Amino acid sequence: DGGITQSPKYLFRKEGQNVTLSCEQNLNHDAMYWYRQDPGQGLRLIYYSQIVNDFQKGDIAEGYSVSREKKESFPLTVTSAQKNPTAFYLCASSTQGGQPQHFGDGTRLSIL
Amino acid sequence: AQSVSQHNHHVILSEAASLELGCNYSYGGTVNLFWYVQYPGQHLQLLLKYFSGDPLVKGIKGFEAEFIKSKFSFNLRKPSVQWSDTAEYFCAVNYGGAQKLVFGQGTRLTINP
């Protein structure tokens, strides 16, 4: 079945440590997205990519970085500069921008 | 700024009650509109979408939404809810063909049996 796979499901980070969240899709979608979900704040866009080797900052990109070296992969790195990283992170993809997005199951990141 | 407002943060209903969840957006131009649902422990999935045409849109599981352009609204409705509708519901808007969606804050719906 086609879909989006996020790993790991749970991730713990120590202070001052960078961590990378994986997102892989086999839907052959061009566009991919990273969101952060906090209670009562909905989904806030971190980064998005419309095509391989290109990506744009979303509304809350500070303290995060991404890469898009392959169409099916869009990893997110939460750097030590992100002061409040504890959250639920969602990856999504769509055929192109503005179209319905398909979501992964999410990664929950916590600080030790 | 482009924004989406869902005024109901937590709605509690009994089974068989009628449901209406509000969604308002801030922009007066061309929009594409979406409702997503997140059941406990599951990923977000699309309930319904509006791109053009009939402003009354029907989605999965008996949900429907009405696009009222003059009110910048896209409210979600269901005539009779079930316990299995307990979930969080998100409204999302694509403004003017942009490459991204703007999501509302979400509404948590609890259905008591």
Side-chain angles (χ1 to χ4, degrees), chain A residues 16-57:
Chain A
Q17 189 180 50
N18 294 353
V19 291
T20 297
L21 284 60
S22 170
C23 177
E24 303 277 332
Q25 55 101 355
N26 60 4
L27 298 167
N28 200 32
H29 285 171
D30 285 315
M32 296 188 74
Y33 309 82
W34 274 107
Y35 294 92
R36 172 178 169 141
Q37 185 177 10
D38 296 282
Q41 297 193 55
L43 277 67
R44 293 183 290 167
L45 184 63
I46 304 173
Y47 269 97
Y48 61 106
S49 168
Q50 298 302 306
I51 196 169
V52 174
N53 293 323
D54 188 37
F55 49 83
Q56 289 78 41
K57 292 182 179 180

Side-chain angles (χ1 to χ4, degrees), chain B residues 12-92:
Chain B
I12 302 173
L13 295 172
S14 298
E15 276 192 310
S18 64
L19 169 71
E20 182 162 2
L21 300 182
C23 173
N24 288 91
Y25 61 95
S26 62
Y27 178 72
T30 302
V31 291
N32 293 333
L33 301 158
F34 307 84
W35 275 99
Y36 285 86
V37 61
Q38 187 176 32
Y39 296 105
Q42 296 186 27
H43 60 266
L44 267 83
Q45 54 186 283
L46 183 68
L47 263 182
L48 47 80
K49 63 182 186 289
Y50 173 81
F51 283 4
S52 63
D54 189 343
L56 185 61
V57 180
K58 295 196 183 298
I60 61 171
K61 305 190 180 188
F63 286 92
E64 64 179 29
E66 185 175 12
F67 170 49
I68 303 180
K69 190 173 182 179
S70 60
K71 295 185 178 180
F72 304 117
S73 71
F74 190 55
N75 291 355
L76 182 70
R77 301 196 293 244
K78 186 171 184 179
S80 176
V81 294
Q82 301 171 308
W83 177 79
S84 58
D85 293 324
T86 295
E88 189 152 18
Y89 293 80
F90 295 93
C91 180

Side-chain angles (χ1 to χ4, degrees), chain A residues 82-94:
Chain A
Q82 171 49 241
K83 297 306 179 188
N84 184 24
T86 297
F88 191 53
Y89 291 87
L90 288 169
C91 179
S93 71
S94 65

